[in-house]
Amino acid sequence: MAFAKGIPSPTSYKGPGTFRFLNKQKIFKTVDWNYSGFGKLWTYNLNYFDFLLQDGINRETGLELMMGYLKEASGRKDGVEPYPTSVRGINWIKFLSLHSITDESLSAILYKDYCRLLDNLEYHLQGNHLLENGFSLLFGALYFRDEKFADMARRILTLELKEQILKDGAHCELSPMYHQMMLYRVLDAYNLLNNNAHALPELHSLLEKTALKMLGWLQTISWKDGSIPFINDAAPGIAAGTRPLLLYGERLGLKAENMSLNCSGYRKYISGDFEVLFDACPILPTYQPGHTHADTLQVLLRYQGSDILVDTGTSTYEKTRRRQLERSTVSHNTVVVNNKNSSQVWGGFRVGKRAEVSILEEDKYRIKAEHYGYSHPHRRTLTLCHRRIIINDEIKGRFKSKVLLGHLHFPPGITPVKIGNSIRAGGLSFEFTAIESLDLSKYLFAREFNKLENAWKISYKFKTPCEIQIRPVKG
């Protein structure tokens, strides 16, 4: 089986017995593939074997790690679950193929893993998990020349790529990070079929069309410097970056063209020194919104290439208070009514009652949208004028009693200053009208997984309607 080298993995193997994932490092005398001291996601990462494809891993080191895993195969726990099995299978096959390695003992355990995967596909989770199963089976099919794996890979990928990739090219879970992860798999699968002539031609065509759409969406949604908005479940250092993915696509003959953002719900605006992302996303996918936050109608802002208003980030997937806080409305740049979430996020990866979003009006520099996550609609209008941004919020209808709170979050390194009913921060002035109070407080910004930093936020109690004008500070 032939495969051309793709994108190197991040450096997570630091030397003999030493691994670093999610900003937590562990040194083993003998690697414990079931190590759970840093949570299940860390254990998953250990079992993914992404490190086989990092720069500096040679044939001998990779084989030593794989043989160490083989010796402990009978005692595996989390590593035998379908998702880590799928990721590990792809990484092992890539490594073995790139180094022209044939080893019967490794092939035997790999084949056994694929047979178990075939019997335990993640239809109950769907989303990126089921796609990962399908991509992995495609690699297994070509590596082992196995028709059972090929038939299931074709079935899953044909159905799920059409289901999960929206018309504007976005992956349906609406996390730019997961979009990058799934795009990487699409490009790898296209690479695989390119290098194995006559294999699954109909799937090859679908992968090409899907890759072009996804590349276009990613190029459009990314900031000018190539970084992504870290919105919904997303963090740096997890997925391949936008620029490496675009270059990988070009090496495969797939050049990105900007897409018109529509059904995903995101809107991106560039005006002078401003870059703005507006979130009018529906809660998707309806059957598995586990990576969704209650962030409807939030705004992210960059000015002169620097973050000004940010999503507070994702630091954990453990089912903790911190996880609940990071998914809640109060942690996003939008409005909270009577201390409730706009969508009912719970249980780490669950959503109950969901905000329904409607875009009422839009043009090149203006959007008006509303959602129905509260008992009365929240309507927000974003307008970009010459060197100025205006945000209008209105809660429609009458309340017997209501508390309306807006929140704006700055990244670490920006210290806002209050001057009357305005805030100065990051070279910009934020001027508020129709507010009852304006407060500054600290919060914990999730820089990466397991990495929290102090930062400042604005909380403003307001009467409806309320307006915020954002403009550069004169002089």
Side-chain angles (χ1 to χ4, degrees):
M1 189 197 86
F3 183 79
K5 188 175 182 180
I7 302 172
S9 299
T11 301
S12 54
Y13 178 70
K14 302 294 184 178
T18 305
F19 300 86
R20 185 175 181 83
F21 308 108
L22 310 175
N23 294 306
K24 289 186 176 293
Q25 183 165 299
K26 177 66 178 176
I27 302 174
F28 298 100
K29 289 184 179 179
T30 300
V31 179
D32 177 5
W33 301 102
N34 297 318
Y35 180 74
S36 59
F38 296 146
K40 189 166 186 173
L41 186 59
W42 199 97
T43 312
Y44 267 18
N45 273 269
L46 180 63
N47 282 267
Y48 291 162
F49 272 77
D50 283 335
F51 43 80
L52 288 178
L53 302 169
Q54 72 184 45
D55 285 333
I57 292 288
N58 58 28
R59 187 179 194 274
E60 291 70 27
T61 301
L63 272 175
E64 182 181 353
L65 289 164
M66 295 166 80
M67 288 299 183
Y69 190 80
L70 180 61
K71 290 178 183 177
E72 305 295 328
S74 62
R76 293 179 298 163
K77 296 178 183 176
D78 291 336
V80 302
E81 293 180 16
Y83 188 80
T85 296
S86 297
V87 178
R88 184 176 59 254
I90 292 175
N91 289 327
W92 277 33
I93 289 173
K94 283 185 184 180
F95 184 82
L96 294 170
S97 299
L98 290 169
H99 291 276
S100 301
I101 296 169
T102 301
D103 184 282
E104 290 185 6
S105 61
L106 293 174
S107 292
I109 187 175
L110 189 55
Y111 190 79
K112 184 177 179 181
D113 278 353
Y114 272 114
C115 289
R116 188 181 63 255
L117 175 62
L118 195 62
D119 291 334
N120 292 277
L121 297 167
E122 294 175 282
Y123 284 103
H124 61 298
L125 293 177
Q126 298 181 288
N128 70 84
H129 277 243
L130 186 56
L131 264 181
E132 195 76 52
N133 300 162
F135 285 123
S136 193
L137 283 169
L138 180 63
F139 273 79
L142 270 67
Y143 186 77
F144 290 108
R145 299 181 182 180
D146 190 294
E147 286 298 323
K148 299 190 303 297
F149 300 159
D151 287 345
M152 186 55 71
R154 184 191 298 108
R155 186 184 310 174
I156 291 174
L157 294 177
T158 300
L159 292 174
E160 293 302 319
L161 287 173
K162 291 177 181 178
E163 165 72 22
Q164 294 192 36
I165 308 307
L166 305 182
K167 290 182 179 179
D168 65 1
H171 180 252
C172 65
E173 293 179 84
L174 301 181
S175 156
M177 181 186 80
Y178 278 96
H179 181 96
Q180 288 176 323
M181 293 167 67
M182 292 298 97
L183 172 56
Y184 185 27
R185 289 300 187 229
V186 170
L187 293 175
D188 269 354
Y190 185 72
N191 177 355
L192 182 67
L193 295 186
N194 272 353
N195 284 281
N196 293 271
H198 311 300
L200 306 174
E202 291 182 6
L203 185 56
H204 182 271
S205 176
L206 175 61
L207 288 167
E208 181 178 16
K209 293 175 183 177
T210 302
L212 286 169
K213 288 171 58 177
M214 295 183 75
L215 285 163
W217 188 88
L218 180 61
Q219 180 170 273
T220 304
I221 204 74
S222 295
W223 300 121
K224 287 181 181 178
D225 65 5
S227 62
I228 55 170
F230 294 107
I231 195 166
N232 284 324
D233 277 350
I238 304 299
T242 295
R243 285 176 177 166
L245 286 165
L246 295 178
L247 288 172
Y248 187 20
E250 288 179 10
R251 293 203 307 272
L252 297 172
L254 304 169
K255 186 169 177 58
E257 295 185 6
N258 280 0
M259 298 288 289
S260 175
L261 302 180
N262 45 65
C263 52
S264 63
Y266 290 120
R267 295 295 185 270
K268 176 88 173 295
Y269 302 97
I270 298 176
S271 177
D273 289 330
F274 292 118
E275 290 180 86
V276 182
L277 186 74
F278 187 84
D279 180 351
C281 299
I283 302 297
L284 290 178
T286 56
Y287 50 81
Q288 180 52 285
H291 294 295
T292 294
H293 293 195
D295 58 356
T296 306
L297 302 191
Q298 85 155 323
V299 172
L300 303 187
L301 169 64
R302 280 194 158 199
Y303 175 64
Q304 295 182 342
S306 296
D307 285 320
I308 303 295
L309 297 179
V310 294
D311 190 292
T312 61
T314 301
S315 70
T316 182
Y317 278 177
E318 299 297 309
K319 296 178 183 179
T320 61
R321 289 183 181 179
R322 180 70 205 176
R323 170 69 174 161
Q324 183 66 18
L325 175 64
E326 289 175 356
R327 297 183 74 207
S328 67
T329 306
V330 73
S331 292
H332 298 89
N333 304 316
T334 186
V335 169
V336 178
V337 177
N338 290 340
N339 300 312
K340 293 182 178 180
N341 287 324
S342 55
S343 291
Q344 187 183 15
V345 290
W346 64 281
F349 295 92
R350 299 290 183 267
V351 184
K353 183 180 178 183
R354 295 108 189 262
E356 296 180 8
V357 190
S358 298
I359 295 176
L360 305 176
E361 301 173 13
E362 64 176 320
D363 56 34
K364 187 175 181 180
Y365 293 110
R366 182 175 180 272
I367 184 169
K368 179 187 290 187
E370 68 182 15
H371 77 82
Y372 304 88
Y374 302 122
S375 55
H376 296 278
H378 169 209
R379 179 175 294 176
R380 169 166 277 189
T381 304
L382 172 75
T383 307
L384 280 78
C385 305
H386 179 64
R387 292 178 60 79
R388 182 176 50 156
I389 295 172
I390 303 172
I391 300 173
N392 294 95
D393 285 301
E394 185 176 3
I395 308 299
K396 306 292 288 184
R398 294 184 178 182
F399 289 74
K400 291 183 179 178
S401 62
K402 63 179 180 293
V403 178
L404 308 180
L405 278 174
H407 300 277
L408 300 174
H409 298 83
F410 300 105
I414 291 182
T415 302
V417 177
K418 181 181 176 182
I419 305 173
N421 279 352
S422 69
I423 298 289
R424 290 192 176 183
L428 298 174
S429 175
F430 295 74
E431 301 164 10
F432 297 78
T433 61
I435 60 171
E436 297 178 341
S437 64
L438 181 62
D439 298 303
L440 293 173
S441 60
K442 287 189 174 181
Y443 77 98
L444 289 175
F445 172 74
R447 173 72 68 184
E448 299 175 28
F449 272 92
N450 299 308
K451 189 174 183 180
L452 298 171
E453 299 178 22
N454 284 314
W456 289 95
K457 67 176 288 186
I458 301 171
S459 298
Y460 53 98
K461 187 176 180 181
F462 67 95
K463 299 176 182 178
T464 185
C466 168
E467 181 177 281
I468 308 168
Q469 292 205 26
I470 306 170
R471 65 183 84 209
V473 176
K474 293 181 179 180

